[in-house]
């Protein structure tokens, strides 16, 4: 997994006036940059920008780069040492929490994420005060908005992921989140399900998280079929009790539901429709709902002998 985790505890920093300010003037002609599409690769590009004193016209992943007819972009191979220098050096001008937002922006897959991160970093380098709450600046507002969207998606994935158990004891879930949140939800599931093997696969991005009872790794593999539902795996590999577990969960959900207090508008606000495909309780019922008979009040019986 990435050596730049996004969920670190914010570190204490000194007052804004004590923060060092300074960045080399970008006096060279602007350049177009390409990189390998990784966060470490983007940090390498940021290092190069200030090393060459050349501001970016564009920063694009090499695999999807679009350049002009006569433009020759400067491709930068990922340099771990340079990336680490940039990542660690950012704490001299921003808090750990503000730095984590840059990683969240990268994972958001926003079309302008690379230039947005550059503008945020450059602003922080040239400003003595903490910029993280300077919402009069359009760049700061955009970074904060994307970070909030990522936090909501992360929170919902942690709440709505449903696992299916396979015959070999692996708990499997397939998701298609709006943003690339797998690196953000890894600590939650690693801690919560530390006693079982599990795999969470992002179908849209074709990679997943696999926990083997000792560590969580990123895995990649090609899909070979098209399950009927986003969370389905082939029926031949499921544990034979899995359908029963789903029926039991649906029955529990139906029985604790109170129809008279149903509020679909509020329900969809807290559980948007696009997440229902992950939830067993939102799938068609294999068995029709039947009220629990033993919760009905007892019927009066015949009077006891000798009663008045």
């Amino acid at each position: 997994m990435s050596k730049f985790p996004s969920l670190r505890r914010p570190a204490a920093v000194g007052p804004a006036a004590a923060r060092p300010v300074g960045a080399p003037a970008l006096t060279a002609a602007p350049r177009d940059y390409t990189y390998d599409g990784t966060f470490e690769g983007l940090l390498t590009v940021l290092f190069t920008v200030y090393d060459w004193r050349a501001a970016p016209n564009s920063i694009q992943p090499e695999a999807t780069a679009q350049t002009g007819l006569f433009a020759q972009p400067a491709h930068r191979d990922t340099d771990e040492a340079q990336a680490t220098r940039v990542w660690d050096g950012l704490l001299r001008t921003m808090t750990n929490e503000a730095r984590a937002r840059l990683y969240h922006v990268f994972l958001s897959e926003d079309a302008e994420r690379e230039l947005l991160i550059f503008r945020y970093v450059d602003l922080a380098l040239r400003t003595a005060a903490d910029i993280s709450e300077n919402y009069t600046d359009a760049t700061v507002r955009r970074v904060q908005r994307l970070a909030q969207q990522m936090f909501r998606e992360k929170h919902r994935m942690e709440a709505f992921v449903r696992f299916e158990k396979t015959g070999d004891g692996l708990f499997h879930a397939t998701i298609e989140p709006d943003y690339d949140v797998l690196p953000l939800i890894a600590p939650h599931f690693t801690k919560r399900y530390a006693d079982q093997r599990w795999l969470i696969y992002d179908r849209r991005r074709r990679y997943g998280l696999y926990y083997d009872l000792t560590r969580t790794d990123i895995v990649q593999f090609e899909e070979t079929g098209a399950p009927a539902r986003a969370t389905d795996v082939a029926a031949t590999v499921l544990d034979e009790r899995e359908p029963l577990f789903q029926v039991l969960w649906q029955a529990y959900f139906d029985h604790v539901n109170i129809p008279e207090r149903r509020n679909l508008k509020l329900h969809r606000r807290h559980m948007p429709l696009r997440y229902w495909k992950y939830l067993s309780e939102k799938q068609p019922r294999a068995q029709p709902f039947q009220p629990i008979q033993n919760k009905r009040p007892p019927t009066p019986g015949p009077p006891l002998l000798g009663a008045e």
Side-chain angles (χ1 to χ4, degrees):
M1 297 183 66
S2 172
K3 63 183 293 185
F4 302 105
S6 59
L7 297 178
R8 297 177 179 174
R9 186 179 301 277
V13 296
R19 292 178 182 146
V21 179
L26 304 180
T27 56
R31 301 286 299 269
D32 294 307
Y33 297 92
T34 60
Y35 69 110
D36 62 3
T38 66
F39 187 61
E40 292 87 343
L42 177 58
L43 293 178
T44 302
V45 170
L46 295 182
F47 181 93
T48 303
V49 165
Y50 294 103
D51 186 44
W52 291 1
R53 310 294 198 270
N57 278 325
S58 66
I59 306 174
Q60 303 177 74
E62 185 180 32
T64 58
Q66 298 180 359
T67 60
L69 182 61
F70 302 103
Q72 183 61 40
H75 178 72
R76 306 305 300 154
D77 292 325
T78 297
D79 186 305
E80 295 286 346
Q82 293 178 0
T84 300
R85 284 183 59 184
V86 172
W87 184 248
D88 293 340
L90 290 176
L91 287 182
R92 291 197 293 268
T93 57
M94 64 183 69
T95 65
N96 204 340
E97 182 179 5
R99 183 182 68 168
R101 291 176 190 166
L102 300 181
Y103 186 51
H104 296 174
V105 170
F106 179 80
L107 294 176
S108 73
E109 303 173 325
D110 184 85
E112 298 182 353
R113 60 180 181 171
E114 293 90 356
L115 286 179
L116 183 61
I117 290 173
F118 162 73
R119 289 196 294 266
Y120 191 94
V121 169
D122 194 66
L123 180 64
L125 290 175
R126 302 181 191 280
T127 306
D130 180 12
I131 68 167
S132 61
E133 296 184 1
N134 180 20
Y135 299 125
T136 60
D137 185 89
T139 296
V140 176
R141 290 199 306 272
R142 180 62 177 160
V143 166
Q144 177 65 13
R145 188 177 304 114
L146 287 173
Q148 289 175 341
Q149 292 172 352
M150 289 294 298
F151 176 80
R152 285 195 293 267
E153 188 77 348
K154 165 188 173 293
H155 177 71
R156 286 167 173 167
M157 284 294 103
E158 290 174 348
F160 299 149
V161 166
R162 297 291 187 268
F163 289 98
E164 294 177 315
K165 188 177 182 181
T166 63
D168 63 353
L170 175 70
F171 289 85
H172 171 278
T174 301
I175 62 176
E176 294 180 276
D178 290 343
Y179 307 107
D180 185 10
V181 296
L182 281 188
L184 305 185
I185 66 177
H188 169 82
F189 285 97
T190 300
K191 181 178 180 180
R192 184 170 182 179
Y193 301 104
D195 60 343
Q196 57 196 42
R197 295 167 49 244
W198 51 261
L199 169 69
I200 303 176
Y201 180 66
D202 185 338
R203 175 180 295 172
R204 179 177 300 180
R205 296 161 187 87
R206 295 182 175 273
Y207 84 99
L209 299 173
Y210 172 65
Y211 176 70
D212 64 357
L213 299 179
T214 58
R215 56 178 289 176
T216 303
D217 290 310
I218 289 177
V219 294
Q220 292 181 304
F221 52 88
E222 294 295 327
E223 294 187 30
T224 58
R229 183 162 54 91
T231 55
D232 282 347
V233 294
T236 56
V237 301
L238 288 178
D239 186 285
E240 61 183 5
R241 297 168 296 176
E242 180 61 29
L244 174 60
F245 295 151
Q246 295 187 10
V247 169
L248 290 174
W249 175 251
Q250 291 175 347
Y252 167 78
F253 179 83
D254 289 336
H255 287 301
V256 299
N257 183 43
I258 304 175
E260 293 78 9
R261 300 186 63 181
R262 182 176 300 170
N263 185 334
L264 287 179
K265 184 177 180 180
L266 180 64
H267 182 65
R268 290 179 178 177
R269 184 191 309 169
H270 292 286
M271 188 182 292
L273 194 62
R274 69 178 183 273
Y275 298 103
W276 289 15
K277 59 187 176 183
Y278 307 125
L279 307 177
S280 299
E281 59 268 28
K282 294 299 184 182
Q283 308 312 312
R285 297 295 188 259
Q287 296 182 6
F289 170 70
Q290 296 291 340
I292 298 178
Q293 302 299 320
N294 61 6
K295 286 194 174 183
R296 294 182 176 179
T299 56
L304 297 176
L305 294 177
E308 294 290 337

